[in-house]
């Protein structure tokens, strides 16, 4: 039992990382990623991003998720991102996209 718990918290480099406990950390990472995406959206005055731009942002903030593609699909399913085409997403949660939709009315 001790070994299996130890294995759960050890990363691929042999370093003990208690942030790998799962469940809630995935939600925490989603909030962190969406917050960074919202800031980037405000700075760049845009709300559509390619998957490669999202990869770059994930690298920049040190996002810790097992699979970025599954992570993005989960955010799409949850309604935070809208898939706009092949490898492109619109950020629905950004204050920039909300300000644009209120101007078009």
């Amino acid at each position: 039992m001790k070994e299996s718990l130890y294995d759960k918290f050890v990363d691929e480099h042999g370093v003990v990382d208690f942030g790998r406990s799962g469940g809630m950390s995935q939600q925490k990472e989603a909030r962190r990623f969406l917050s960074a995406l919202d800031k980037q959206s405000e700075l760049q005055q845009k709300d559509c991003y390619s998957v490669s731009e999202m990869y770059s942002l994930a690298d920049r903030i040190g996002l810790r998720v097992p699979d970025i593609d599954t992570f993005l699909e989960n955010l799409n399913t949850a309604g935070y991102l809208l898939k706009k085409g092949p490898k492109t997403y619109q950020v629905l949660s950004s204050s920039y996209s909300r300000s644009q939709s209120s101007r078009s009315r």
Side-chain angles (χ1 to χ4, degrees), residues 16 25 35 45 53-54 59-60 63 65 82 88 90 96:
V16 176
S25 65
S35 174
Q45 298 291 293
E53 288 174 307
M54 292 197 180
D59 284 342
R60 201 164 56 244
L63 191 70
V65 294
L82 176 63
T88 305
Q90 181 180 6
Y96 175 74

Side-chain angles (χ1 to χ4, degrees), residues 38-104:
D38 186 40
K39 288 176 188 168
Q40 183 168 317
S41 182
E42 284 293 317
L43 288 171
Q44 295 181 347
Q45 298 291 293
K46 70 178 199 171
D47 61 356
C48 286
Y49 292 93
S50 68
V51 171
S52 64
E53 288 174 307
M54 292 197 180
Y55 284 169
S56 176
L57 177 63
D59 284 342
R60 201 164 56 244
I61 67 169
L63 191 70
R64 293 182 302 184
V65 294
D67 179 16
I68 188 76
D69 292 315
T70 302
F71 179 74
L72 293 175
E73 284 300 320
N74 289 342
L75 291 176
N76 178 51
T77 302
Y80 294 106
L81 299 177
L82 176 63
K83 192 163 191 166
K84 296 296 279 186
K87 300 190 181 220
T88 305
Y89 288 94
Q90 181 180 6
V91 185
L92 298 177
S93 62
S94 83
S95 51
Y96 175 74
S97 66
R98 287 190 301 267
S99 70
Q100 291 304 101
S101 65
S102 64
R103 288 184 189 159
S104 63

